[in-house]
Amino acid sequence: MIAIVRMKAQERRDMLWDHLVEHAGELQQRLAHEGRLLFLSQRAKHDDVSLFVHVAEPDVVGGLIAHDLAKIDGVTGCWMINMLKPLFFPLPRDTSAMDRYAITVRAFPPKLEETYESLSRLDAPPGVLMAYLALTCHLYGDCLQFSVLTEGEENLSRHLDESIRTLPGVLHLTVSLIERTKPLVSYDEWSDYSATHPSWDPAHMINQFGSA
């Protein structure tokens, strides 16, 4: 399973980010072959840092949270979001000139499957790249999350208005700018991972990264 572990640090958010970057290797060693840290991200105007992790079974991420993440100095809470039926899309090696956004979709429940399928097949316009899509069901009504990279906010706004808000089942979108992202695997490893996922063979998906 792939989970997003969101850690709240209030006024110490940058210290939390630095700690996770500095100690990512140690956290990966603790997971060993039971899991793989994928990347970190930080939302603008929020006091949290998100860690994306792939684990062989739920208890592994539970142990990571209770034994390690919740004990980091300054952390005031942890929130886990499961990525169900995740899809990852190919991205160029250098995306430094693009802005990244995470978008949560509030969907009409009977249309949830149709909305997910429509988003998975949607062709993004020039200047917009789809990064991932997943069912999350992390709040009543907020059932889907996807991420895009875009060349300018105007491109994103037009894409959301013309192509996504008009999809059957879409009730509301919450758009969050991602201030920064830190990959915890190489580009080549991530390309192989995202091209074959979901495989639903946890041992294969985690072991393909080799020993950390």
Side-chain angles (χ1 to χ4, degrees):
M1 63 174 283
I2 299 176
I4 307 169
V5 182
R6 206 163 266 171
M7 293 150 279
K8 190 171 184 178
Q10 295 189 357
E11 297 179 358
R12 307 188 68 178
R13 186 186 64 158
D14 290 339
M15 292 181 62
L16 173 59
W17 176 273
D18 293 340
H19 178 95
L20 290 167
V21 170
E22 181 180 352
H23 295 279
E26 298 170 30
L27 293 173
Q28 180 56 55
Q29 286 180 351
R30 282 191 46 77
L31 288 176
H33 291 293
E34 293 186 311
R36 191 65 169 93
L37 306 182
L38 299 176
F39 61 94
L40 293 167
S41 70
Q42 194 170 68
R43 300 182 297 167
K45 300 180 181 179
H46 288 272
D47 295 325
D48 54 45
V49 176
S50 297
L51 172 64
F52 289 67
V53 58
H54 188 165
V55 295
E57 57 183 31
D59 284 351
V60 176
V61 73
L64 178 68
I65 293 171
H67 188 274
D68 297 288
L69 303 181
K71 295 179 181 178
I72 297 173
D73 187 34
V75 168
T76 59
C78 295
W79 176 21
M80 190 180 81
I81 301 170
N82 289 318
M83 296 182 71
L84 309 172
K85 297 187 68 176
L87 294 174
F88 297 97
F89 300 86
L91 296 173
R93 186 178 292 270
D94 184 8
T95 59
S96 58
M98 305 184 79
D99 294 323
R100 181 185 290 268
Y101 293 84
I103 295 120
T104 297
V105 181
R106 179 171 298 170
F108 182 52
K111 291 284 188 180
L112 179 57
E113 182 178 29
E114 182 179 350
T115 304
Y116 173 87
E117 294 296 336
S118 297
L119 285 169
S120 71
R121 296 190 301 264
L122 197 63
D123 291 327
V128 177
L129 298 174
M130 195 81 158
Y132 69 74
L133 166 68
L135 291 164
T136 55
C137 302
H138 59 287
L139 295 172
Y140 288 122
D142 289 351
C143 302
L144 290 153
Q145 182 167 303
F146 65 94
S147 179
V148 296
L149 287 87
T150 179
E151 297 174 351
E153 190 175 355
E154 290 184 2
N155 284 336
L156 174 64
S157 296
R158 185 164 50 251
H159 177 52
L160 296 181
D161 288 341
E162 296 177 358
S163 302
I164 295 180
R165 288 190 171 96
T166 56
L167 290 175
V170 173
L171 301 177
H172 180 74
L173 302 178
T174 301
V175 181
S176 298
L177 172 66
I178 303 301
E179 286 184 332
R180 53 181 170 176
T181 301
K182 170 68 175 176
L184 301 176
V185 296
S186 71
Y187 175 81
D188 291 333
E189 287 176 317
W190 178 254
S191 295
D192 291 342
Y193 177 89
S194 59
T196 56
H197 195 79
S199 151
W200 307 125
D201 179 351
H204 167 72
M205 294 308 298
I206 291 168
N207 289 337
Q208 73 170 336
F209 287 109
S211 57

